[in-house]
């Protein structure tokens, strides 16, 4: 297995200008209006991909239908990867640039010169744009903490494997529960933030993941592993106190959400903690039990 970071051009953070753009600016392709919070792209009818690569993200093969062929076998479609890894893409028309979020990191492409920026520092690389889709060299993604990009010629000469922090089993389970339960879109918090939210000691959880929604809905999900010696009763009481506060709020505010609060689940099973308020609590609970059983 070869690391793409060693195959691609060496990418370093630099304050210098990038090389000339390799493709036309994305907005010049006139793809039509973008929805808020999304990168603007040309709408492409489903067709056989001309990309010529297979991308496997955290063990899942991505659907590359409509991704065009580009010159350079180590170029990756940014929006597809960001959204597949539970991130987002946004096109800033005023500043002629797109942002792609990967966890706490953001890759920015400035279309005036197709320069690539990791957070607030420029990368010694340029993007390509083809059919309204933005591509960057694989080495850019490899620069993100916890991300690896590998080519696997022993499996498939055209296969690229990408592993991210979201490959963690509990993280995968949390996103699956959120999807199965129909929970409203929420912000993600981890370990220390979770204990702070529920006013618990910092050493309560070995690992914790929480999704919270906007204040127009009571939806919330917590999946956590208790640390050795943690007070299980105190955890249940803290979660019940939160559930009760949601009940008090939604008894008078947007009361159509109250049935979800009344159907909330607070469970501790084999050291794993589960708290859910969502549209389909039964499905979410089933996914939780399946995850716990898989850890045995």
């Amino acid at each position: 297995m070869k690391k793409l970071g060693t195959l691609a051009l060496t990418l370093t953070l630099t304050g210098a200008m990038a090389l000339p753009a390799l493709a036309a600016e994305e907005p010049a392709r006139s793809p039509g209006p973008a929805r808020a919070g999304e990168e603007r792209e040309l709408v492409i009818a489903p067709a056989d991909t001309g990309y010529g690569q297979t991308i496997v993200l955290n063990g899942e093969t991505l659907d590359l239908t409509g991704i065009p062929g580009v010159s350079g076998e180590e170029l990756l479609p940014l929006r597809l990867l960001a959204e597949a890894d539970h991130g987002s893409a946004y096109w800033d028309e005023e500043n002629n640039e797109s942002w792609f979020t990967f966890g706490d990191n953001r890759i920015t492409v400035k279309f005036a010169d197709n320069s690539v920026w990791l957070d607030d520092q420029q990368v010694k690389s340029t993007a390509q744009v083809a059919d309204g889709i933005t591509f960057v060299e694989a080495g850019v993604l490899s620069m993100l903490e916890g991300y690896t990009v590998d080519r696997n010629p022993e499996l498939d000469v055209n296969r690229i494997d990408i592993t991210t922090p979201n490959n963690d089993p509990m993280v995968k389970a949390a996103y699956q529960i959120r999807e199965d339960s129909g929970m409203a879109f929420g912000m993600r918090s981890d370990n220390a933030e979770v204990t702070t939210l529920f006013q618990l000691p910092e050493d309560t959880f070995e690992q914790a993941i929480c999704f919270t929604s906007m204040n127009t809905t009571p939806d919330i999900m917590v999946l956590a592993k208790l640390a050795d010696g943690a007070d299980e009763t105190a955890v249940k009481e803290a979660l019940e106190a939160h559930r009760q506060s949601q009940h008090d709020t939604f008894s008078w505010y947007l009361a159509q959400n109250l049935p979800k609060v009344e159907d909330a689940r607070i469970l501790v099973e084999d050291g794993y903690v589960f708290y859910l308020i969502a549209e389909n609590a039964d499905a979410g609970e089933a996914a939780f039990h399946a995850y716990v059983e898989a850890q045995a």
Side-chain angles (χ1 to χ4, degrees):
M1 179 183 298
K2 296 182 180 180
K3 288 290 183 80
L4 279 178
T6 63
L7 296 176
L9 295 174
T10 301
L11 301 175
T12 56
L13 295 176
T14 176
M17 289 301 294
L19 296 173
L22 300 178
E25 297 175 9
E26 184 170 21
R29 307 190 68 85
S30 300
R35 291 181 295 175
E38 293 192 354
E39 177 198 14
R40 187 162 74 170
E41 291 190 1
L42 182 69
V43 177
I44 304 172
D48 291 338
T49 178
Y51 181 58
Q53 308 288 324
T54 298
I55 299 179
V56 180
L57 177 69
N58 293 333
E60 299 292 330
T61 300
L62 300 186
D63 181 3
L64 299 172
T65 301
I67 302 298
V70 286
S71 59
E73 64 180 12
E74 295 166 9
L75 292 174
L76 301 174
L78 261 185
R79 177 178 181 172
L80 176 72
L81 290 175
E83 293 181 344
D85 196 43
H86 308 293
S88 61
Y90 178 83
W91 184 62
D92 181 354
E93 182 177 9
E94 181 178 356
N95 292 308
N96 192 26
E97 62 187 33
S98 282
W99 313 330
F100 306 85
T101 59
F102 292 85
D104 293 329
N105 298 291
R106 184 170 78 179
I107 296 174
T108 302
V109 176
K110 299 184 178 183
F111 295 113
D113 57 4
N114 279 7
S115 60
V116 180
W117 299 70
L118 176 54
D119 297 325
D120 59 352
Q121 297 191 66
Q122 188 175 357
V123 171
K124 194 175 182 180
S125 177
T126 51
Q128 286 195 39
V129 180
D131 292 341
I133 295 175
T134 305
F135 296 83
V136 296
E137 292 177 339
V140 174
L141 207 64
S142 297
M143 296 175 70
L144 302 178
E145 184 176 357
Y147 285 72
T148 61
V149 185
D150 302 317
R151 183 172 291 285
N152 291 280
E154 66 273 22
L155 298 176
D156 183 340
V157 69
N158 293 321
R159 170 170 166 164
I160 298 173
D161 280 75
I162 301 172
T163 304
T164 82
N166 287 330
N167 195 45
D168 177 271
M170 182 177 286
V171 174
K172 282 187 169 183
Y175 277 109
Q176 189 64 55
I177 291 168
R178 193 185 77 173
E179 180 179 345
D180 290 353
S181 67
M183 179 189 166
F185 178 80
M187 297 286 292
R188 174 177 156 185
S189 303
D190 298 285
N191 295 24
E193 296 170 312
V194 178
T195 55
T196 299
L197 175 63
F198 295 102
Q199 300 181 343
L200 290 164
E202 291 184 1
D203 59 354
T204 298
F205 301 120
E206 179 180 310
Q207 184 178 4
I209 299 162
C210 176
F211 292 115
T212 52
S213 60
M214 303 295 288
N215 60 11
T216 55
T217 175
D219 293 28
I220 187 171
M221 192 280 294
V222 175
L223 178 63
K225 179 74 166 64
L226 288 172
D228 291 341
D231 188 338
E232 179 180 320
T233 300
V235 171
K236 286 183 175 180
E237 289 176 348
L239 297 178
E240 174 55 31
H242 184 276
R243 189 208 66 81
Q244 185 60 53
S245 70
Q246 295 292 75
H247 186 280
D248 294 344
T249 297
F250 286 91
S251 292
W252 60 270
Y253 171 68
L254 299 175
Q256 68 270 23
N257 287 302
L258 187 58
K260 289 195 288 188
V261 181
E262 294 174 335
D263 195 32
R265 308 299 162 90
I266 299 175
L267 303 169
V268 176
E269 181 178 327
D270 294 337
Y272 289 91
V273 176
F274 180 60
Y275 174 38
L276 177 68
I277 299 176
E279 188 66 33
N280 191 340
D282 287 340
E285 181 178 342
F288 166 69
H289 290 309
Y291 168 70
V292 173
E293 290 172 6
Q295 309 315 303

